[in-house]
Amino acid sequence: MKKSLITLMFLGSFIYGQGENKNSLYMENYINTVIVGTSEKLEFYDTIITYPKIYSVVRDENIYQLNNLIREDAIKVIKWYESYNDEDTIENLDLNIKFEIVLLNKNLVSIEYYGLGELEGAAHPDKIFYTTNIDLNTLKKLKLKDIINVNKDFVEYFLKNFKYIGPLGDEDVGKNISKEFGDSEYLLKSFLEADSVGESSVYSYFTKKGLVITVPVNHAIGGYAELELDYKTLYKYLKPSIKKYF
């Protein structure tokens, strides 16, 4: 019988406060916001997924909807493993996922998830990275195509203007992007399909400075690369519903 994702067990929680960790939490004018990190263990797997619960940033009646949306997206990562492995294999999955809130203000929240996943007998662990972006006014998840007018013009702009965040040079990353995606048509397709947890290879998130798009690269150099686009040059590609926030 197919094992269900519904049966979960709480392991614990911890609280983030403003200013406690400037790299993991950015808030604008929300000194009363509380972030509770909640860990859940999937009963049938050696899997721990930690995700945030956010309080006070939206109206009280919307808190449940916001936090349920966050939780549902966070645990979807297990579906990727279930889709590529049989039931006996997936039972040996060792997966540990942590989160970081990279932007939180009155309009938007961006959460990145990262960790390692390993199946028994695999050549190496999988480096896991995915994100969740939510419009706090509509309580809707935002995918890249909801944020950007994704077209060939944008792909050309991206390839010429991204700033790599990491230890490698932009040239090295550019070579790996070309190797991974082959041509701009495939990159365009990947952007249009981005931000579906457990399905996409490309993810995005907001920061104070710009929009970051993550793309897969060779496992030996990190598994994924984070590429930032400055809001000043990106602005004309933003959807009208997002432009008003910047």
Side-chain angles (χ1 to χ4, degrees):
M1 182 177 66
K2 185 67 174 178
K3 295 179 173 62
S4 172
L5 291 177
I6 297 175
T7 307
L8 298 151
M9 179 176 68
F10 283 93
L11 294 181
S13 64
F14 51 91
I15 297 176
Y16 282 73
Q18 185 183 24
E20 184 176 324
N21 186 337
K22 292 182 180 179
N23 292 322
S24 64
L25 181 59
Y26 173 74
M27 294 188 290
E28 290 182 352
N29 303 320
Y30 277 89
I31 59 175
N32 294 320
T33 299
V34 175
I35 312 298
V36 178
T38 299
S39 295
E40 294 191 10
K41 177 176 170 58
L42 275 68
E43 182 178 351
F44 297 108
Y45 311 116
D46 187 10
T47 299
I48 298 174
I49 299 175
T50 305
Y51 57 86
K53 288 185 177 180
I54 301 175
Y55 298 94
S56 302
V57 75
V58 295
R59 294 179 181 177
D60 289 346
E61 61 267 28
N62 293 330
I63 286 176
Y64 173 81
Q65 184 178 347
L66 170 63
N67 288 318
N68 190 56
L69 179 59
I70 291 171
R71 176 188 171 277
E72 286 182 351
D73 216 40
I75 67 173
K76 281 181 181 177
V77 64
I78 196 66
K79 291 185 177 181
W80 183 84
Y81 281 97
E82 289 186 327
S83 65
Y84 285 96
N85 297 278
D86 60 35
E87 191 171 309
D88 291 335
T89 303
I90 200 72
E91 284 185 348
N92 297 314
L93 173 64
D94 185 353
L95 179 66
N96 196 319
I97 301 295
K98 299 179 181 179
F99 77 89
E100 184 173 334
I101 295 180
V102 285
L103 181 75
L104 173 61
N105 58 34
K106 65 182 180 180
N107 297 310
L108 300 165
V109 61
S110 276
I111 309 162
E112 64 176 37
Y113 297 92
Y114 57 92
L116 292 175
E118 186 170 11
L119 287 167
E120 192 174 274
H124 54 71
D126 298 313
K127 291 186 177 180
I128 307 296
F129 185 93
Y130 58 100
T131 64
T132 298
N133 303 305
I134 298 174
D135 185 322
L136 294 173
N137 296 299
T138 63
L139 294 182
K140 299 291 185 183
K141 176 178 174 176
L142 297 172
K143 297 183 179 182
L144 186 60
K145 64 183 179 181
D146 302 317
I147 300 167
I148 297 292
N149 289 305
V150 179
N151 50 37
K152 290 183 178 180
D153 187 35
F154 171 72
V155 172
E156 291 180 8
Y157 157 80
F158 167 80
L159 291 171
K160 292 177 181 178
N161 291 276
F162 72 74
K163 178 182 178 182
Y164 173 62
I165 305 173
L168 301 174
D170 285 357
E171 183 177 347
D172 294 327
V173 176
K175 289 178 181 177
N176 275 280
I177 291 173
S178 298
K179 184 178 179 180
E180 177 70 29
F181 293 99
D183 54 42
S184 58
E185 286 292 335
Y186 189 60
L187 190 57
L188 174 61
K189 181 176 182 291
S190 298
F191 284 171
L192 290 170
E193 296 173 350
D195 294 310
S196 291
V197 179
E199 300 175 15
S200 302
S201 59
V202 171
Y203 291 91
S204 65
Y205 64 86
F206 296 99
T207 69
K208 186 178 180 181
K209 296 180 180 179
L211 180 72
V212 177
I213 298 176
T214 67
V215 299
V217 294
N218 189 286
H219 177 81
I221 61 171
Y224 61 87
E226 297 174 77
L227 311 173
E228 187 175 54
L229 300 169
D230 189 279
Y231 289 132
K232 291 179 181 178
T233 59
L234 179 67
Y235 187 78
K236 71 175 185 177
Y237 297 100
L238 294 175
K239 291 284 184 74
S241 58
I242 302 300
K243 277 185 177 180
K244 63 185 180 183
Y245 297 152
F246 296 96

